Amino acid sequence: MSLLPYALRPRYVLRSFVLRRGVVHPNPLIRPIAMLMVGQGDFLRVKAIRHGLILGNPYWRAVGGALLLREVSKRVLSSPPERLARERLGPGHSVKVAASAPNLDLSRRQRRAELKRLESEALASVESRRRS
């Protein structure tokens, strides 16, 4: 359970404010937030580069720095995909990838145990193919 109700969360309050006032708000501090929330991140990035780096406006330079920091933090904090197996394929060979629907009747602990069991079976089958 969250500490704040949904209607009082900062993101919800900002989004409702942005939708009421729009991107054309005269306050220069709200305009970049509005552009990000409405989905004009690319336009905001181009504007920050044009006005901040090329024309030298310190406000837009700060907005561009914040956008750059946001992108870098996304790349740094995201975890790389987990590689379960890697196998070279020759001519005439194929790969079959199967995904099963989650069993929602199980508890979280049971689902984790089932996932570990399935992963170990998959790795064992890859190892047995490698040996033969």
Side-chain angles (χ1 to χ4, degrees):
M1 186 172 158
S2 69
L3 298 174
L4 279 174
Y6 187 74
L8 295 178
R9 293 181 187 165
R11 186 176 179 100
Y12 180 80
V13 172
L14 279 173
R15 180 171 283 149
S16 64
F17 179 77
V18 164
L19 291 177
R20 270 189 274 122
R21 299 288 174 105
V23 179
V24 292
H25 194 274
N27 188 342
L29 296 175
I30 293 176
R31 195 174 302 137
I33 296 170
M35 287 179 178
L36 277 176
M37 290 186 141
V38 173
Q40 295 181 346
D42 295 336
F43 176 71
L44 183 64
R45 187 181 313 115
V46 168
K47 194 165 185 172
I49 290 171
R50 184 178 300 137
H51 289 282
L53 294 179
I54 297 172
L55 298 177
N57 187 334
Y59 170 74
W60 281 106
R61 191 176 295 156
V63 170
L67 288 174
L68 180 68
L69 184 65
R70 180 176 171 231
E71 292 295 322
V72 169
S73 67
K74 275 184 185 179
R75 289 186 183 176
V76 169
L77 297 177
S78 66
S79 61
E82 181 183 354
R83 180 183 290 171
L84 295 177
R86 182 176 169 177
E87 199 171 330
R88 291 196 183 268
L89 295 177
H93 291 86
S94 64
V95 174
K96 180 181 176 185
V97 178
S100 59
N103 188 354
L104 299 178
D105 297 333
L106 301 176
S107 69
R108 180 180 282 179
R109 182 177 290 170
Q110 291 169 335
R111 279 196 303 257
R112 267 193 244 134
E114 180 72 14
L115 181 63
K116 284 184 181 180
R117 185 186 64 78
L118 290 173
E119 284 179 355
S120 64
E121 284 179 7
L123 288 173
S125 70
V126 168
E127 287 297 321
S128 67
R129 283 191 202 144
R130 226 180 251 165
R131 290 181 195 143
S132 62

